Amino acid sequence: MNTRTLSLTLLAASALTAGAVAPSLQSTTPNGVQRGTEVELKFNGARLTDAEEVFLYEPGVKVLELKEVKESFVLARVKIDADCPLGEHKVRIRTKTGVSDFRTFTVGAYAQVDETEPNTTLDKAQKVAMNSTVLGTVSNEDVDYYRVEAKKGDPIAVEVEGIRLGRTFFDPYVAILDKNGKVLAKADDTALLIQDSFATIVAPADGEYVIEVRETSYGGGGNPYRVHIGNFPRPSAVFPPGGKAGESLEVKFLGDAAGEFNQTFSLPQPNRFKYGVFAERKGLTAPSSNLVRISPFANVMEKEPNDDVKAAAVAAGDLPLAFNGIIGKKGDVDWFRFKAKKGETFDINVYARRIRSQLDTVLHICDADGKSLGNNDDSGGADSKLRFTFPGDGEFTIKITDHLGYGGPECTYRVEFTPVVPEVSTFIADTARYDAQTRKSIVVARGNRFASLQSVRRTDLPSDSSDLEFAMEDFPSGISMQAVTVPRDQTTWPVVFEARADAPIAGKLANLAVRTTAEAKTPAKGGIWQNYDLVQDGNNGVYYQTWTDKIAVAVVDELPFKISLEPVKAPLVQSGSLDVKILVERKEGFDEPIRVINLYNPPGTGSTPEITIPKGEKSAVYSLNANGNATTKVWKIAFLGSATVSGGTAYASTQLADLEVAPAFVNGKLTQTNAVVGTPVKFICTLDQKTPFEGRAEVMLTGLPAGVTAGSKSITKDDKEIVFDVNVATNAIKGMHRTVFVAMNMKFNGQQIGQSFASGGSLRIDPVRQPIAEAKPAAKAVTPAVKPTPKTGN
């Protein structure tokens, strides 16, 4: 995809005030523009006073001039080419001091009009021309009505863009009514547009018709929408739903009230982006596209009847192929027959929901007689996906059904057999939950550094080819990169960018390439593939997201602070701790506190979540730690600092520095010890020396219960045991205590480090045993005399 970075010519009358760090872009007004026009486009946000450039990710829109630049907005005059791609366009603003949030606006085919209130009742419906786009908003319990005229037999189509604007969670409902309010067609959610909706009819008579737009449950909070109203086509599906790259594809559009029709398209070469074709009829274009797949292999079409294995549609060519069909009615089953060779492995993907079909597919791969060899339901989301290796040469079959037996004339699908190809890409993960924007650009101040934690995706790379390296592509002049090879077992990796003090203040939409190293047996190369989750709804997840293959990179004005990591002279040892010092250089007059985070913890290590260098201070200590299984090697780490500058958040990082994670110096075992309250005891730890060290190390018992103390000791590399003198107070907590361990501290190359060992030591504390009193002899029991009972006569 072509990327256009358009410089803005500032009017002499627009005198800019001092720049503000971290420009914010929230929206554009209007939320879309018509292609083939010149219009004013207002970028709304904050801290925009020193705007210099607009980053436009797609071709077809040109910025002619900035007419006005203010703190809260930039007003630009833009030209939209007559052949500008329809749909979503991505944008950022670059200022002298930063890069704004990532936002979108829409390019449409039709003239735009604003909603005019009041239009909340049928009798006050706003009259609009056919084939126009109305820009409206919905408040709570709001209903908007629009009135159009049509002739009998004319198609009437309505499509609403709500959630696709990427601004708010808005679930629109749309209906077409006759002039008396009778509903002729209505829609809420649709397979084609997900939360957005459309409806189409053929006018049953000459006269007026009313379009109703609202939130599906009568909610709303000023949510913006675009509603397209006209005679344009609005098909719900296309068949076949894909074709071969570089070739012409004739498709049939399905689901439009005015009937099916054919159209031919030239398919480009595939890329990562979804591709759509726009239906056109009598010179009128659908407001949005129908998705089709582009593949490097030939199509196979189903031929009905193919409801059982004996009637399977036969593929003429060899794999890889793409099989296309329609589950045309409830209970329909489609079979295809093809040839494969032993040992061939393919990823078998069913595309249905992913191309906006209504199907929830189930895939079976079978032998020539229809015996199942493998199956899948939802590994591709609601679509089916599996990897299969053919057990022998010969004929095989596939069976496609809907999970619930659903079907209909618009239930299209496509099954692609794709060779397994290794892929790599990189992206920046969200820095916080529900935050899709922060630190997803590379913004480097002159004479300073910026660190980014890159996440890498590896797909089907063998382990011997999984080491990766980064490369800058089309970065602005004056920026260099500090990065080392990403080990095969790591999915996140710190990268530091540095700008020369004289680097030009400029920016570009660039690519951070990622590729296998020269030693890799299976080469692969990729780049930025970044998601932006623009509409989220808490725990309900992401409702709308978009993707880009570019990253905004800019050199900005000098900052009033710079941070660095004091050289680390000692290792972080397993089961150990290490304090490192973050240094700050402040310009005169700048004494703001600086928040510092550690971007990357090597495997088995951790660190303080964040620290603050207090106001006016020049350094602070950051604590690192390692568990007993931490991976031992020399790793790269970087710390990122942030501070409030001119009302925004400015970032600067340390250099990319070495951190050695080393084996423990010593291990040990504490002998279980019993003690009595009020009585001292010896607690012995046997030592297992692992790594020789110079001098003496201080050791002390840690984790002792309340009322128990022990003095510190010192050891050398030659000691075999430690004998701790333990004092047990009379009020010591009694019982078995298994939390005792040894903490060791020592100087290494002049730097203090710590290590713990002998964890789980047991100390039992008993009460003072009371002496047992001597027992007295028991008193002899006396049996009372019993008088004899006198006999009585009969």
Side-chain angles (χ1 to χ4, degrees):
M1 179 175 292
N2 293 327
T3 302
R4 301 288 300 272
T5 305
L6 303 177
S7 298
L8 306 179
T9 304
L10 302 180
L11 296 182
S14 300
L16 299 181
T17 60
V21 169
S24 169
L25 177 61
Q26 296 302 318
S27 63
T28 64
T29 305
N31 52 35
V33 292
Q34 183 188 7
R35 69 178 175 187
T37 63
E38 288 187 15
V39 297
E40 290 183 352
L41 189 57
K42 187 178 182 182
F43 300 95
N44 307 298
R47 299 181 294 278
L48 296 171
T49 51
D50 54 347
E52 287 199 337
E53 193 170 18
V54 171
F55 289 150
L56 293 167
Y57 287 70
E58 285 79 26
V61 180
K62 298 180 176 67
V63 177
L64 303 178
E65 63 176 355
L66 285 184
K67 298 192 69 175
E68 198 172 358
V69 176
K70 297 290 185 181
E71 160 74 11
S72 61
F73 70 87
V74 174
L75 183 63
R77 184 156 188 83
V78 299
K79 179 180 179 181
I80 304 93
D81 293 342
D83 60 351
C84 177
L86 296 174
E88 181 180 85
H89 284 244
K90 309 173 190 77
V91 62
R92 291 183 186 269
I93 301 291
R94 183 187 67 79
T95 70
K96 289 182 66 177
T97 47
V99 174
S100 76
D101 309 271
F102 173 100
R103 299 297 176 193
T104 62
F105 65 94
T106 301
V107 173
Y110 300 110
Q112 299 184 164
V113 295
D114 292 327
E115 175 196 6
T116 302
E117 294 280 6
N119 65 338
T120 56
T121 57
L122 201 64
D123 61 312
K124 294 182 179 179
Q126 178 181 343
K127 190 168 185 177
V128 297
M130 275 293 201
N131 303 311
S132 59
T133 298
V134 183
L135 280 57
T137 58
V138 167
S139 56
N140 191 38
E141 298 186 356
D142 190 12
V143 180
D144 293 338
Y145 291 101
Y146 302 97
R147 189 177 301 277
V148 295
E149 291 188 359
K151 297 290 187 181
K152 181 179 180 179
D154 285 349
I156 302 176
V158 183
E159 178 179 327
V160 182
E161 291 177 85
I163 208 163
R164 287 177 293 164
L165 297 179
R167 301 192 182 186
T168 61
F169 181 74
F170 177 53
D171 189 1
Y173 164 94
V174 66
I176 303 174
L177 319 175
D178 69 13
K179 64 181 179 180
N180 298 316
K182 179 183 177 181
V183 175
L184 303 177
K186 63 180 181 179
D188 181 359
D189 299 338
T190 59
L192 177 65
L193 306 178
I194 314 299
Q195 271 74 30
D196 286 348
S197 51
F198 71 91
T200 65
I201 66 167
V202 173
D206 294 355
E208 292 186 333
Y209 294 85
V210 176
I211 310 304
E212 177 186 344
V213 180
R214 60 173 170 83
E215 202 275 335
T216 185
S217 57
Y218 292 92
N223 307 85
Y225 66 83
R226 293 163 57 85
V227 57
H228 311 279
I229 306 170
N231 310 120
F232 49 76
R234 178 58 284 168
S236 59
V238 61
F239 186 82
K244 189 173 182 179
E247 295 187 355
S248 293
L249 178 69
E250 183 179 4
V251 301
K252 177 179 289 186
F253 285 108
L254 311 171
D256 187 272
E260 300 174 353
F261 60 98
N262 289 6
Q263 196 171 336
T264 300
F265 299 90
S266 295
L267 298 182
Q269 293 301 313
N271 56 35
R272 282 186 170 271
F273 293 96
K274 292 179 179 179
Y275 182 78
V277 292
F278 286 82
E280 185 174 330
R281 183 178 56 211
K282 297 181 179 179
L284 298 174
T285 301
S288 59
S289 67
N290 292 84
L291 295 178
V292 297
R293 291 280 305 166
I294 302 176
S295 309
F297 30 80
N299 272 349
V300 177
M301 304 299 181
E302 75 159 320
K303 295 179 181 178
E304 292 284 3
N306 62 338
D307 294 349
D308 60 60
V309 68
K310 294 180 180 179
V314 179
D318 295 327
L319 296 178
L321 294 168
F323 300 86
N324 303 268
I326 301 174
I327 301 297
K329 58 185 178 181
K330 290 184 178 181
D332 191 13
V333 178
D334 285 353
W335 286 87
F336 293 88
R337 185 177 299 274
F338 58 92
K339 292 181 180 179
K341 296 179 180 178
K342 182 178 180 178
E344 287 184 324
T345 300
F346 291 94
D347 283 331
I348 309 172
N349 266 286
V350 180
Y351 291 92
R353 289 288 180 89
R354 285 178 283 180
I355 54 173
R356 307 294 171 79
S357 172
Q358 301 175 46
L359 291 176
D360 180 4
T361 59
V362 177
L363 167 71
H364 289 263
I365 185 161
C366 307
D367 65 14
D369 297 322
K371 180 182 177 181
S372 182
L373 303 175
N375 64 83
N376 184 260
D377 184 0
D378 290 337
S379 290
D383 287 343
S384 309
K385 176 182 178 181
L386 63 83
R387 178 168 294 177
F388 188 78
T389 300
F390 288 95
D393 295 349
E395 286 193 342
F396 296 86
T397 56
I398 55 172
K399 179 176 74 170
I400 309 295
T401 61
D402 181 83
H403 179 70
L404 297 176
Y406 183 73
E410 301 151 35
C411 294
T412 60
Y413 65 87
R414 178 176 172 89
V415 185
E416 294 183 0
F417 281 67
T418 307
V420 178
V421 177
E423 293 183 354
V424 293
S425 62
T426 186
F427 67 102
I428 300 172
D430 291 353
T431 58
R433 196 177 187 188
Y434 311 133
D435 181 357
Q437 299 282 352
T438 300
R439 301 206 313 266
K440 289 193 176 177
S441 297
I442 296 171
V443 179
V444 196
R446 279 178 158 182
N448 218 317
R449 294 178 290 257
F450 176 81
S452 175
L453 185 64
Q454 292 291 322
S455 297
V456 294
R457 304 181 188 93
R458 300 175 179 89
T459 304
D460 297 312
L461 271 179
S463 60
D464 62 1
S465 300
S466 290
D467 292 343
L468 302 175
E469 58 188 17
F470 292 109
M472 298 187 299
E473 292 183 353
D474 204 26
F475 270 52
S477 174
I479 292 182
S480 59
M481 180 177 68
Q482 301 171 19
V484 298
T485 298
V486 187
R488 62 196 62 183
D489 60 346
Q490 295 300 290
T491 57
T492 59
W493 201 240
V495 181
V496 172
F497 301 92
E498 188 165 6
R500 298 194 317 263
D502 62 348
I505 294 178
K508 286 186 175 182
L509 291 179
N511 181 37
L512 183 61
V514 60
R515 61 197 178 202
T516 51
T517 59
E519 297 78 17
K521 296 179 180 178
T522 305
K525 180 182 177 182
I528 287 286
W529 186 234
Q530 182 70 57
N531 65 299
Y532 286 88
D533 299 336
L534 297 181
V535 181
Q536 302 182 58
D537 186 27
N539 291 331
N540 291 326
V542 177
Y543 282 86
Y544 184 75
Q545 68 179 186
T546 191
W547 297 77
T548 179
D549 60 355
K550 299 294 181 183
I551 187 167
V553 184
V555 177
V556 299
D557 261 346
E558 188 178 6
L559 290 176
F561 73 96
K562 185 175 183 178
I563 67 170
S564 61
L565 178 63
E566 185 177 74
V568 181
K569 300 177 181 178
L572 172 62
V573 298
Q574 292 173 326
S575 300
S577 61
L578 177 69
D579 287 344
V580 298
K581 184 177 286 188
I582 309 297
L583 308 175
V584 59
E585 301 173 37
R586 298 178 182 269
K587 285 199 168 185
E588 185 176 353
F590 179 79
D591 64 354
E592 292 297 310
I594 300 171
R595 173 179 174 260
V596 181
I597 60 173
N598 178 17
L599 278 187
Y600 175 74
N601 289 308
T605 72
S607 60
T608 306
E610 65 177 71
I611 64 169
T612 297
I613 302 175
K615 187 172 184 177
E617 295 295 322
K618 295 185 177 181
S619 67
V621 169
Y622 214 116
S623 296
L624 312 178
N625 59 78
N627 64 36
N629 296 314
T631 305
T632 57
K633 64 178 287 185
V634 177
W635 298 90
K636 293 292 185 180
I637 60 172
F639 297 84
L640 185 65
S642 60
T644 300
V645 178
S646 301
T649 301
Y651 294 94
S653 82
T654 67
Q655 73 277 25
L656 193 66
D658 287 342
L659 174 67
E660 181 185 4
V661 178
F665 288 108
V666 61
N667 288 338
K669 183 177 181 179
L670 285 164
T671 304
Q672 181 174 326
T673 300
N674 298 336
V676 176
V677 294
T679 305
V681 69
K682 302 291 186 183
F683 209 159
I684 299 173
C685 180
T686 57
L687 299 179
D688 179 13
Q689 299 279 356
K690 294 294 185 181
T691 304
F693 58 91
E694 299 296 327
R696 305 191 71 85
E698 183 184 41
V699 291
M700 59 189 307
L701 281 179
T702 304
L704 294 168
V708 181
T709 59
S712 63
K713 297 280 187 175
S714 66
I715 61 171
T716 69
K717 62 181 177 61
D718 299 316
D719 286 321
K720 304 298 182 184
E721 70 174 19
I722 315 168
V723 180
F724 290 99
D725 297 312
V726 178
N727 295 310
V728 184
T730 57
N731 63 345
I733 297 177
K734 294 177 280 293
M736 178 66 80
H737 304 277
R738 296 185 174 89
T739 58
V740 186
F741 64 95
V742 179
M744 179 174 75
N745 288 283
M746 60 185 294
K747 288 278 189 178
F748 190 98
N749 291 336
Q751 189 167 356
Q752 193 76 26
I753 63 174
Q755 189 210 316
S756 62
F757 57 88
S759 61
S762 298
L763 175 64
R764 175 173 171 164
I765 301 176
D766 295 320
V768 175
R769 183 173 298 177
Q770 299 296 328
I772 300 174
E774 184 177 348
K776 294 180 179 181
K780 186 176 181 181
V782 177
T783 302
V786 178
K787 291 182 179 182
T789 303
K791 294 183 179 180
T792 58
N794 292 328

